[in-house]
Amino acid sequence: MNLTISCLQINIAFGDPEKNFKQVSQEIEKTVITSKPDIIVLPELWTTGYDLTRLDEIADENGAVSMKFLSELAKKYSVNLVGGSIAKKVKENVTNTMFTFNREGHLIHEYSKAHLFQLMDEHLYLKGGNKTGLFTLENIPSAGMICYDIRFPEWLRAHTTKGAQVLYVVAEWPLARLYHWRSLLIARAIENQCYVVACNRAGADLKNAFAGHSMIIDPWGEIIAEGSEEPETITAEIDLNKVIEVRKQIPIFNDRRKELYD
Ligand SMILES: NC(=O)CCC(=O)C(=O)O
């Protein structure tokens, strides 16, 4: 089975959800017309950016506005949306949460970032999630991960041992650690023998310049699409047979010695 996937590597207006909703709506429309993807992926915290001190004001109450927005666009354009992540407010807590919608506009999964990134103050303002990233999209077992999560190979492995063949990573990864971003994503694809579809943001806020370099990587670890540092959309076709072929060629999932690991 083949699927065409686009990552919207946008610049995000700091603390300005209205502007970001408008931009994302325009970019989705443009991408549907030009690339006709089956799946569109957005970056991390795309409604607010890292304006964490103002989350009380700008986080989305129960995620309601973002969910309605994503659901309507998915249905309108008959496209699956891995909706990046948004700051979701539930009572006194805010989570960094990804919503995935299918072509009919139905919410099929919600995942909140499990590992909070202290270097960008997430632990001071956000609550970590503790639920699985696993979901099935277009009949393909898949999983969602958010940025810093990729530094925890055991977390991604917990999803591929349960069947995930595509890992969607949404991010606001700084340029200062571009080498880590590229290396970790390639390693995660090779060691899990799966597709990695990683959507990062471009641009800068007051504290960080962001790396761009969204990537789509095949189960052999080869990069089949990669962005520059600038805002742009990358698109590639993935072939799910390749996951099966690579896993047959080097059967790491059968060769694991679980009894040796903690
Ligand atoms: N938004 C993030 O989680 C950034 C993670 C990051 O920059 C890292 O080096 O890890």
Side-chain angles (χ1 to χ4, degrees), residues 16-210:
D16 192 343
E18 202 180 317
K19 204 164 169 185
N20 290 317
F21 279 117
K22 197 165 168 206
Q23 176 184 206
V24 165
S25 169
Q26 287 167 349
E27 289 300 323
I28 288 177
E29 179 172 35
K30 202 159 63 178
T31 303
V32 167
I33 292 167
T34 55
S35 307
K36 300 183 180 53
D38 298 292
I39 300 167
I40 293 179
V41 188
L42 303 176
E44 182 182 19
L45 291 180
W46 61 267
T47 62
T48 56
Y50 265 85
D51 192 358
L52 301 181
T53 59
R54 287 179 58 238
L55 284 182
D56 253 4
E57 215 182 301
I58 58 175
D60 189 358
E61 198 84 41
N62 297 310
V65 174
S66 310
M67 284 199 281
K68 183 168 184 290
F69 173 86
L70 292 168
S71 168
E72 285 176 359
L73 287 177
K75 195 167 171 197
K76 177 172 179 191
Y77 295 113
S78 184
V79 68
N80 300 286
L81 290 178
V82 176
S85 74
I86 60 104
K88 176 186 175 191
K89 191 170 171 195
V90 180
K91 295 189 182 131
E92 71 280 10
N93 291 316
V94 181
T95 52
N96 183 340
T97 299
M98 171 193 288
F99 300 115
T100 299
F101 284 87
N102 67 12
R103 294 179 191 272
E104 287 76 44
H106 297 140
L107 177 68
I108 59 163
H109 189 63
E110 173 170 342
Y111 168 72
S112 293
K113 186 174 189 174
H115 305 90
L116 298 180
F117 190 53
Q118 298 198 26
L119 205 54
M120 283 161 70
D121 288 344
E122 287 193 318
H123 62 304
L124 302 178
Y125 299 97
L126 299 174
K127 187 173 180 316
N130 49 21
K131 298 226 170 87
T132 180
L134 278 174
F135 57 83
T136 300
L137 191 60
E138 293 282 337
N139 292 318
I140 310 301
S142 307
M145 291 288 139
I146 305 181
C147 208
Y148 184 49
D149 280 336
I150 66 168
R151 287 192 186 268
F152 300 85
E154 59 274 46
W155 183 228
L156 280 68
R157 175 69 107 212
H159 292 73
T160 51
T161 52
K162 292 192 180 82
Q165 298 184 6
V166 183
L167 296 174
Y168 293 94
V169 178
V170 305
E172 290 213 26
W173 195 283
L175 185 58
R177 294 179 295 284
L178 172 59
Y179 179 70
H180 291 193
W181 166 254
R182 297 185 78 259
S183 308
L184 291 166
L185 291 172
I186 294 166
R188 296 298 85 91
I190 295 172
E191 73 198 359
N192 289 294
Q193 301 176 318
C194 66
Y195 279 97
V196 169
V197 176
C199 183
N200 194 22
R201 67 165 286 184
D205 62 19
L206 291 175
K207 291 188 179 155
N208 287 294
F210 294 95

Side-chain angles (χ1 to χ4, degrees), residues 218-234:
D218 78 10
W220 195 249
E222 275 166 11
I223 297 164
I224 54 176
E226 179 168 5
S228 65
E229 281 169 29
E230 301 303 318
E232 65 178 295
T233 295
I234 63 160

